[in-house]
Amino acid sequence: MRLILMGLFGLLLAGCQEMQVERVEPRSAPVAFSTYAWGQSALGDVPEASAQLVELDEEMRAAVAAELSARGYREEAEPGNADMLVDYQVAVVEEQFSGDPSNPSWDAQFDSNAAQGVVELPARTGAPRVTVTLGIGRPGGAAIWGGSATKLLTRPESAEERQRVIGTAVRELLRDLPAAY
């Protein structure tokens, strides 16, 4: 199962400080599940993963596991034994790039030397953003719950703020997830 969401770059460039949320629109009726497994290995198990990415991965897994546990779901070690799979991605975006090929003057607004179709935004356009993408569904099927959320971090060095933002995003994305049966 892979979660494909269009318009993620639009979310990254949104100027509002409120959390921007785009939910998965389920293609099938809700079903009752009781167990879950992770759709991919933890980044801590990947030797070449950076420490920052491993930390974000651990924070995301902890937030999702806590939300699922609160709703009565049990984790299965083997994906083949689980009712549903959880796929996710979390990132902190420090620099944002965009372009508008239909409007050549867009590039000139920020950098007259920018390549056509690419705009480098000013370095201090605001704080970095945390972006969370989450999908839960049947193994091999489309996501039934989840979506994508993004929010500015006012203190990106603060683990507490990152964990709070990630936890809020996970709760918002899974607010329609029913309790385990």
Side-chain angles (χ1 to χ4, degrees):
M1 175 188 71
R2 282 288 165 219
L3 181 65
I4 300 172
L5 295 173
M6 303 311 266
L8 185 56
F9 290 113
L11 288 173
L12 291 175
L13 295 176
C16 182
Q17 289 226 353
E18 295 297 314
M19 184 171 296
Q20 303 295 311
V21 177
E22 183 177 320
R23 280 188 191 71
V24 167
E25 294 297 327
R27 294 187 180 115
S28 59
V31 292
F33 294 134
S34 62
T35 60
Y36 73 95
W38 299 105
Q40 67 263 352
S41 299
L43 282 181
D45 299 338
V46 179
E48 61 272 0
S50 74
Q52 181 185 27
L53 290 177
V54 169
E55 186 176 20
L56 285 171
D57 185 76
E58 289 171 352
E59 290 168 355
M60 181 68 174
R61 275 186 182 251
V64 172
E67 188 66 23
L68 293 175
S69 177
R71 294 171 190 240
Y73 291 94
R74 296 179 327 275
E75 182 179 351
E76 290 284 342
E78 291 298 319
N81 296 335
D83 298 327
M84 61 188 190
L85 288 182
V86 178
D87 281 326
Y88 65 93
Q89 188 173 36
V90 62
V92 174
V93 179
E94 306 258 353
E95 295 180 274
Q96 302 166 17
F97 297 92
S98 180
D100 185 356
S102 66
N103 182 2
S105 67
W106 176 256
D107 294 339
Q109 293 180 55
F110 300 106
D111 183 356
S112 59
N113 296 322
Q116 181 64 26
V118 176
V119 175
E120 183 174 347
L121 298 177
R124 302 306 299 169
T125 57
R129 296 180 182 275
V130 63
T131 300
V132 170
T133 304
L134 177 63
I136 297 179
R138 291 182 176 101
I144 299 172
W145 299 282
S148 184
T150 187
K151 184 166 184 351
L152 288 173
L153 289 176
T154 55
R155 295 176 298 125
E157 71 286 351
S158 168
E160 293 80 22
E161 182 181 6
R162 279 193 324 269
Q163 291 166 4
R164 181 185 53 76
V165 168
I166 290 170
T168 300
V170 167
R171 282 188 300 280
E172 182 63 26
L173 292 173
L174 296 181
R175 75 173 184 205
D176 298 329
L177 178 70
Y181 72 89

